[in-house]
Amino acid sequence: MASARLKYLSLGVLVFQTTSLVLTMRYSRTLQAEGPRYLASSAVVVAEVMKILACVLLVFKEHSYSIRALNSILRQEILHKPIETLKLAIPSGIYTLQNNLLYVALSNLDAATYQVTYQLKILTTALFSVSMLGRRLGVYQWLSLLVLMAGVALVQWPSESAAAPEKEARSAGSQFVGVTAVLVACCSSGFAGVYFEKILKESKQSVWVRNIQLGMFGLVFGLFGMLAYDGERVRESGMFQGYNTITWTVVALQALGGLVIAAVIKYADNILKGFATSLSIILSTLISYFLLQDFDPSSVFFLGAVLVIAATFLYGYEGKPPANPSRA
Ligand code: C5P
């Protein structure tokens, strides 16, 4: 079936994209060139622009490369349906808030605590899928989500030596602020993802048109963010200061991520997206160990990896009806 193929293709591309993004970011951090660092707020804006351009191209392709058809679909669906377009301001605003919350979280927590706690979004996503989309999960599926969460948490558990110095520097107060920010981000991640899924699955409109609508708001929010945080620096040295080939690669991979996530939400769902990103965390850690040698996987890592893989199989287990029910 074509839709099943698209489902697994989109999930596979997501694993590839997340893995390469993590590796490129890690590589860019270890091999940081001299000179000014690029502005993260500018990277967000550039990624939104790339995403919108790519989606416009995809809509153009969907309409047999006709400029007239492209023009009319964009007018009809975006300009002439302001209420439908405004609906996308909700997930877009929440994603912007989320990206900022994660920044607050990272500044108050060590990276490992942050990543481990953020895995709670697997559960919030499932809860929102059940409450907002009426999805039903069996006992094995709930169990597998718990196993997945525990598995990813273990995979990201810091080894003793790596964690100790960083943890000491944080006060209880900043831990509290950081954990609260992550917990709110978990809720916003679950809600925004499922809300976008609801919009996609309740209408026949192309996922790329929806993504243009989402990206337009993202661009506006992102520009505000850039001017608010880094306005001074942008005026001084421009928004592309510190950009190099690796920066462009990271930005392009981030833009690709937005496209792939949209495809995954359309053809698969938010819960399966959680499995794909968990698997890619394992993959990027292993590749980073073999190629960059900047990580030494511990036995806790391997236990976590086994749990994530087991959870992936367990999740699919109940979904399949027995081969021959009459014999059962
Ligand atoms: O952590 P979480 O899975 O919620 O992150 C999703 C990310 O994907 C957000 O940063 C959001 O901006 C991005 N996204 C996107 N396009 C979509 C859906 C999500 O760029 N259609």
Side-chain angles (χ1 to χ4, degrees):
M1 237 169 83
S3 68
R5 225 190 65 212
L6 283 172
K7 176 172 158 179
Y8 291 107
L9 181 69
S10 61
L11 285 166
V13 177
L14 182 62
V15 172
F16 168 79
Q17 181 272 336
T18 317
T19 309
S20 11
L21 181 62
V22 172
L23 289 175
T24 322
M25 279 180 144
R26 220 175 259 178
Y27 177 74
S28 72
R29 230 182 24 209
T30 44
L31 289 185
Q32 182 62 44
E34 297 117 55
R37 275 180 71 87
Y38 70 92
L39 306 171
S41 62
S42 144
V44 171
V45 170
V46 178
E48 287 299 345
V49 172
M50 280 190 184
K51 230 168 58 178
I52 296 175
L53 289 178
C55 289
V56 170
L57 276 178
L58 286 163
V59 177
F60 185 48
K61 179 175 168 280
E62 270 178 352
H63 291 84
S64 323
Y65 300 102
S66 150
I67 295 269
R68 266 183 63 186
L70 173 70
N71 194 8
S72 106
I73 197 96
L74 293 183
R75 268 166 190 276
Q76 253 174 42
E77 293 301 326
I78 298 175
L79 285 183
H80 296 168
K81 289 187 184 160
I83 303 286
E84 292 296 304
T85 301
L86 265 178
K87 278 189 190 167
L88 274 299
I90 297 172
S92 175
I94 294 177
Y95 276 137
T96 309
L97 185 76
Q98 177 180 323
N99 291 337
N100 286 298
L101 276 173
L102 293 179
Y103 177 77
V104 173
L106 259 178
S107 341
N108 286 286
L109 292 175
D110 58 282
T113 310
Y114 155 80
Q115 275 181 317
V116 170
T117 321
Y118 195 36
Q119 300 317 319
L120 255 181
K121 72 178 177 177
I122 292 173
L123 271 199
T124 56
T125 302
L127 289 172
F128 281 114
S129 300
V130 168
S131 58
M132 288 168 63
L133 297 172
R135 185 156 294 147
R136 296 178 62 169
L137 296 178
V139 182
Y140 286 118
Q141 290 180 313
W142 281 113
L143 188 67
S144 81
L145 291 174
L146 289 175
V147 174
L148 177 68
M149 218 174 65
V152 191
L154 288 183
V155 161
Q156 296 185 321
W157 208 263
S159 59
E160 302 271 304
S161 54
E166 233 191 319
K167 274 204 172 141
E168 272 164 22
R170 320 269 165 177
S171 70
S174 83
Q175 280 272 344
F176 178 77
V177 172
V179 170
T180 310
V182 180
L183 293 181
V184 177
C186 286
C187 294
S188 85
S189 164
F191 178 79
V194 173
Y195 185 95
F196 188 65
E197 183 173 345
K198 196 170 158 70
I199 292 182
L200 278 184
K201 291 184 176 164
E202 277 179 357
S203 73
K204 291 218 159 59
Q205 196 40 258
S206 140
V207 53
W208 309 124
V209 172
R210 293 285 178 233
N211 231 23
I212 295 174
Q213 291 168 310
L214 188 76
M216 279 173 15
F217 289 107
L219 179 58
V220 173
F221 294 135
L223 277 172
F224 271 115
M226 184 176 78
L227 294 178
Y229 285 128
D230 297 313
E232 195 65 32
R233 272 179 271 183
V234 171
R235 271 186 291 275
E236 267 167 27
S237 320
M239 71 179 276
F240 295 109
Q241 57 186 291
Y243 271 59
N244 56 26
T245 321
I246 296 182
T247 318
W248 283 106
T249 314
V250 169
V251 170
L253 279 172
Q254 234 146 13
L256 176 69
L259 300 183
V260 183
I261 286 180
V264 163
I265 294 179
K266 162 96 183 171
Y267 299 112
D269 60 51
N270 275 289
I271 298 181
L272 291 176
K273 165 176 161 279
F275 282 92
T277 41
S278 303
L279 287 173
S280 79
I281 290 174
I282 298 182
L283 199 62
S284 57
T285 313
L286 285 179
I287 296 179
S288 145
Y289 168 64
F290 287 114
L291 287 186
L292 305 177
Q293 312 233 305
D294 68 343
F295 175 80
D296 198 2
S298 61
S299 44
V300 175
F301 170 84
F302 283 108
L303 175 64
V306 168
L307 287 183
V308 168
I309 293 164
T312 310
F313 284 105
L314 183 62
Y315 187 79
Y317 179 65
E318 210 185 30
K320 290 186 197 109
N324 189 347
S326 57
R327 262 204 237 154

